[in-house]
Amino acid sequence: MSTFKGRHKRAHLMTSAAAAAVMVGTSFSAVAQDSDSDFTLEEILVTAQKRPQTLQETPIAVSVTDAATMENAHMLDISDLQSVVPSLRVWTLQTSTNTNFAIRGFGNGANNAGIEPSVGVFIDGVYRSRSAAQIGDLPRMERVEVLRGPQSTLFGKNASAGVISVVTAAPSYDTEGGVEASYGNYNSRQIKGYITGGLSETFAVSLSAGVNKRDGYIESLTGETEDINDRNRWQVRGQALWEPSEDVSFRLIADYNKIDELCCGVTNILNGPTAAAIQALGGIVLDDSDPFHYTTPINETPVNEVKDYGISLQADVDFEGFSLTSISAFRSNDSLNDTEPDYTGAPILDSAFNEANIDTYTQEIRLTSTGVNKVDWMVGAYFFKEDITQVQGLDYGVAARPYISLLASGGTSATLFDDPFPGFGVPIETILGIPYGSAFSGDTQTRETFTQDNDAYSFFGSVDFHVTDRLTVTGGLNYTKDKKTVTGSTVNGDTFSSVNLQNQFFGAAFFGQTGLAPTPDNIALIETVAPGTSAAINAAISPIVTGFGPLQFQPQFLAYPNSVENGKTNDEKLTWTARASYEVNDNLNMYFSVATGFKSTSWNLSRDSRPFAVDQAALASAGLTQVNQTYGTRYADPENSIVYELGLKARYSKGAINIAIFDQTIKDFQSNIFQGTGFVLGNAGKQKTKGIEVDATWVPSEQFELRFAGTFMDPEYVSFEGALGPNGITDLSGETPAGIHKTSMTVAGTYFFDIGENVSGFLRGDWQYESKTQVVDNIAGVDRSVSMFNAALGFEWENGLSVNVWGRNLFNDEFFLSAFPGVIQSGTVNGYANSPRMYGVTVGYKF
């Protein structure tokens, strides 16, 4: 009965939505046609289905941002797209390489090289598997397509939430070029340029390059570091286009990008009870009454260095009735990140470093029917090979022992002998009854090494059957096989975390009560004289052990593969798409589709990777368990998604409107949440989002362009047992997932004008709104909402000279990008604040 009701409710929703969509489209028609001007809205071409189509005839929920919009709005990279695409959210945390993407609230993949993104990013048809390879400044653009919902049928694995497809301009046979320079607040300086032209009638090349620099906007309070959250990146890109005949073309692209920045500033949202200990050790506790102060107390300069480069070759050959496309690519990404993880300036944890190398090889081949056919088809194959080597670790500072001692002793004053901080707390060794200096020995370091070899291949195909001139039925299949082999090992100098607290406190209590050493014989003797003594002691010390446990935040790591854990996963999945599209008339199209998505297993390549609890007995039997052995996850199982979508696309001479009503579910969503000392990686059961998206453009004349885009959603954790909530492990089933705004909107308006006969200009403004939502699942009371305004005023002369005055976040809207529990600071909540107001002027010249 419940299944029938669910289907009936969904059908009713879709039917009602369809009727409403037709009414909206009809009403919009009257408004859009209400003009006598000869001006007509420009047609938009997209490749969302890997073949050129107009946006109106593409039966997919897709947002397109063209080069002119990005240039006028002064968008520098992919993250700026969210100001015009409300379904897209982009945020950067901890390091310059840690950029995350979400579409319709779904997305992950940052902060861990083993976790591939749920939103696939493609640049000129080449998949960028990690965020560090996606965030470089945008080159000479043509357009960016954001495909919403699962796209695994044509784009393969790791497109379970959507796709961002960046299309750059190919070389031109006509000699063209341009250069532009910008200057703004915080000493922002940008310069970029390009030149393109034909070397013969069949061979053309282009070269583009850019530099982007800015001082940090987060002020250093100690003077021991530079201001952070700066920009320092540059890129160069070369292309060659060879078209030996009308039927054959080759496009070779090579690029090199480099980032060397100080990122990312952390603020205090709530100060916990450890604040006094931090201040006693010389640290600075930021004022939590004003978390948007844009200052930092750190005394270790953060390092964020990225080198990303690659080469790709696309070959297109037209045959009789079909075309062949081959895209071959190699990419390499080297990154080094180093930051002070406690963010206090006290020398507790001096360094959290991560050095990674990722080499990726991809090959795609597809055959596509051409011409006018009753049946259009596409078949293809895709191969993916990636090798990851990662070394990461922690360096403890000289204040680690006194800090742990203060927390363990409740701040009781005592002399710490040769410690650099005498008089702060009873030494932790004294509390544990072990030799002084045995818990910490000077600076302590952990160092973890991981490797991952990933081989995957896909076979895919789609068929469009044109039932009538107006009705098309589409079906598509994708079979993906994904294999991963992973290794992990560590050298852990944190001997304190290797102390068996249960045994240590039991021994001290046993000796205190009996006067005997806690040997097995003595324990047995006491049990014969006074049965239950051991149980009583264990019960008494249990709260103490529990209280001390969090201080041992880096227990020894069990290396793998081992005799129980083989370090391998092998996934395979068949995903599919079924769609029907109907051309109501020459201006109005409707479609209904069902699509599935797949994301392969993600491994936790971090010090927080722990054996599964189900392996506990086998590990114990093999003698592999260690002191204080903890259990968690090595990896998260694959996530699978499905979306039901009803869409309307209407286009008229003066405007267009696209509407999508969707019901989207992701099963086993790969959740990765920081809990104060490490990340909890697991599967989130079932997450569901229902909603409606509207994207409308109205151009009443050549002088005005108005655009509204909105996403209205109702997200829910249908089931999420074992989730990490504000009070630890809990059941979030039935709750609203954090970080997903129920309402997101952008409103943009552009006025075009002429000054005399030689000067044209524009005035543009856009407003981005996101409703209030809790920032992360495991921190209650920390919310974010967005109301941000951007504007630009530009002039262009006939001789190619242009001037653009621009501003982003002009009214200094303040909100949190994310939040997390303070690192070994119980009760403290840290967070990342958004960028403050940015403004400047850009001068350009094109020929």
Side-chain angles (χ1 to χ4, degrees), residues 266-271 285-288 291 293 343 828-831:
V266 168
T267 188
N268 285 26
I269 300 174
L270 178 65
N271 291 326
V285 178
L286 297 174
D287 182 7
D288 58 4
H293 42 66
Y343 304 106
T828 292
V829 177
N830 293 133

Side-chain angles (χ1 to χ4, degrees), residues 32 129 314 319 423:
S129 65
Q314 177 170 336
F319 296 93

Side-chain angles (χ1 to χ4, degrees), residues 75-323:
M75 296 182 186
L76 290 177
D77 54 34
I78 292 176
S79 64
D80 291 331
L81 286 174
Q82 58 192 328
S83 64
V84 294
V85 183
S87 292
L88 173 68
R89 187 182 167 208
V90 186
W91 62 103
T92 301
L93 312 173
Q94 189 173 352
T95 68
S96 294
T97 63
N98 184 8
T99 300
N100 209 4
F101 302 89
I103 294 178
R104 291 176 176 171
F106 296 110
N108 54 21
N111 220 6
N112 191 319
I115 304 176
E116 296 177 80
S118 300
V119 176
V121 175
F122 293 78
I123 299 181
D124 291 323
V126 177
Y127 176 54
R128 304 293 183 95
S129 65
R130 296 297 186 279
S131 62
Q134 302 163 351
I135 63 175
D137 293 345
L138 296 175
R140 183 172 169 241
M141 296 300 304
E142 186 172 292
R143 67 183 182 277
V144 178
E145 303 174 11
V146 178
L147 285 60
R148 308 187 292 272
Q151 305 294 329
S152 292
T153 300
L154 293 183
F155 290 91
K157 68 167 189 167
N158 304 324
S160 55
V163 164
I164 301 172
S165 177
V166 178
V167 181
T168 68
S172 170
Y173 288 98
D174 297 325
T175 300
E176 301 174 10
V179 63
E180 68 175 41
S182 300
Y183 186 80
N185 60 333
Y186 299 103
N187 197 27
S188 171
R189 299 95 67 202
Q190 298 130 28
I191 185 168
K192 62 181 180 179
Y194 73 93
I195 187 168
T196 182
L199 301 183
S200 71
E201 292 185 352
T202 60
F203 190 72
V205 296
S206 69
L207 179 67
S208 63
V211 178
N212 185 353
K213 293 179 176 288
R214 186 194 66 218
D215 293 346
Y217 59 78
I218 296 184
E219 179 186 359
S220 171
L221 295 177
T222 63
E224 298 182 42
T225 67
E226 300 177 46
D227 295 342
I228 63 174
N229 278 39
D230 65 337
R231 275 284 173 91
N232 184 16
R233 54 184 65 174
W234 62 270
Q235 54 90 12
V236 61
R237 197 168 198 261
Q239 297 190 60
L241 177 65
W242 182 40
E243 298 177 308
S245 70
E246 291 184 355
D247 299 326
V248 179
S249 71
F250 298 92
R251 185 181 178 187
L252 180 70
I253 304 174
D255 66 273
Y256 186 94
N257 304 268
K258 189 172 182 179
I259 296 176
D260 185 2
E261 297 177 345
L262 310 179
C263 186
C264 300
V266 168
T267 188
N268 285 26
I269 300 174
L270 178 65
N271 291 326
T274 60
I278 291 169
Q279 290 173 320
L281 296 169
I284 298 175
V285 178
L286 297 174
D287 182 7
D288 58 4
S289 65
D290 178 21
F292 296 96
H293 42 66
Y294 297 105
T295 59
T296 179
I298 62 173
N299 55 15
E300 299 288 341
T301 301
V303 175
N304 292 265
E305 297 176 356
V306 183
K307 290 189 296 184
D308 182 76
Y309 53 93
I311 187 169
S312 66
L313 175 64
Q314 177 170 336
D316 293 286
V317 182
D318 289 334
F319 296 93
E320 184 71 28
F322 68 94
S323 64

Side-chain angles (χ1 to χ4, degrees), residues 431-468:
I431 297 173
L432 295 176
I434 59 179
Y436 178 79
S438 61
F440 295 89
S441 179
D443 287 350
T444 302
Q445 183 184 86
T446 68
R447 183 181 181 90
E448 300 87 28
T449 302
F450 297 92
T451 67
Q452 176 176 289
D453 297 329
N454 184 190
D455 294 321
Y457 58 85
S458 298
F459 299 101
F460 60 91
S462 66
V463 177
D464 294 335
F465 179 53
H466 305 290
V467 182
T468 68

Side-chain angles (χ1 to χ4, degrees), residues 32 58 60 218 302 332 340 361 391 450 463 485 524 536 553 560 569 649 659 663 697 699 728 767 769 800 813 838:
T58 301
I60 295 175
I218 296 184
S332 183
E340 176 189 312
Y361 309 83
V391 178
F450 297 92
V463 177
T485 301
F553 62 95
Y560 65 92
T569 52
K649 296 192 174 188
I659 299 174
D663 186 336
T697 302
V699 187
W767 174 60
Y769 169 79
D813 186 35
M838 299 287 179

Side-chain angles (χ1 to χ4, degrees), residues 436-727:
Y436 178 79
S438 61
F440 295 89
S441 179
D443 287 350
T444 302
Q445 183 184 86
T446 68
R447 183 181 181 90
E448 300 87 28
T449 302
F450 297 92
T451 67
Q452 176 176 289
D453 297 329
N454 184 190
D455 294 321
Y457 58 85
S458 298
F459 299 101
F460 60 91
S462 66
V463 177
D464 294 335
F465 179 53
H466 305 290
V467 182
T468 68
D469 290 342
R470 295 188 178 275
L471 175 64
T472 299
V473 177
T474 300
L477 292 174
N478 180 298
Y479 172 77
T480 295
K481 182 82 168 178
D482 185 274
K483 296 181 179 180
K484 292 178 180 175
T485 301
V486 184
T487 70
S489 61
T490 185
V491 176
N492 189 342
D494 182 357
T495 54
F496 166 62
S497 290
S498 300
V499 175
N500 189 317
L501 296 179
Q502 185 73 30
N503 290 349
Q504 203 62 40
F505 284 118
F506 177 89
F510 185 87
F511 179 80
Q513 289 189 24
T514 67
L516 299 175
T519 64
D521 290 341
N522 288 339
I523 294 173
L525 174 63
I526 294 299
E527 284 297 314
T528 60
V529 176
T533 300
S534 297
I537 292 175
N538 282 324
I541 67 172
S542 179
I544 303 174
V545 173
T546 301
F548 271 65
L551 300 179
Q552 295 181 305
F553 62 95
Q554 285 303 310
Q556 293 292 326
F557 184 93
L558 177 61
Y560 65 92
N562 51 56
S563 61
V564 176
E565 303 171 295
N566 64 12
K568 296 181 179 180
T569 52
N570 191 349
D571 304 321
E572 59 180 344
K573 184 68 175 181
L574 183 68
T575 55
W576 53 271
T577 299
R579 182 183 300 119
S581 60
Y582 183 71
E583 184 180 347
V584 179
N585 54 48
D586 291 342
N587 302 110
L588 179 63
N589 285 14
M590 296 188 67
Y591 69 89
F592 175 75
S593 70
V594 184
T596 62
F598 165 70
K599 177 183 173 183
S600 60
T601 297
S602 284
W603 281 80
N604 188 359
L605 302 189
S606 80
R607 66 184 63 89
D608 311 299
S609 170
R610 300 292 162 184
F612 291 99
V614 295
D615 292 328
Q616 183 173 355
L619 291 170
S621 177
L624 293 176
T625 55
Q626 304 176 82
V627 175
N628 298 332
Q629 180 70 66
T630 57
Y631 297 89
T633 59
R634 293 294 197 191
Y635 56 81
D637 290 326
E639 61 183 37
N640 297 278
S641 56
I642 186 169
V643 64
Y644 300 88
E645 189 168 289
L646 175 66
L648 172 149
K649 296 192 174 188
R651 183 182 181 278
Y652 304 94
S653 61
K654 308 304 175 187
I657 184 168
N658 300 323
I659 299 174
I661 300 103
F662 61 90
D663 186 336
Q664 184 168 320
T665 302
I666 290 188
K667 294 182 179 179
D668 296 322
F669 178 76
Q670 294 172 358
S671 172
N672 189 43
I673 297 180
F674 187 73
Q675 46 84 18
T677 58
F679 286 85
V680 175
L681 172 64
N683 294 104
K686 186 176 180 181
Q687 184 174 339
K688 191 170 188 175
T689 300
K690 295 180 289 186
I692 181 170
E693 296 164 327
V694 180
D695 192 338
T697 302
W698 182 39
V699 187
S701 69
E702 291 186 74
Q703 284 72 46
F704 291 96
E705 179 184 88
L706 300 174
R707 182 180 178 187
F708 169 81
T711 301
F712 311 92
M713 298 189 294
D714 181 20
E716 178 189 9
Y717 281 130
V718 179
S719 62
F720 193 2
E721 298 178 3
L724 187 62
N727 299 313

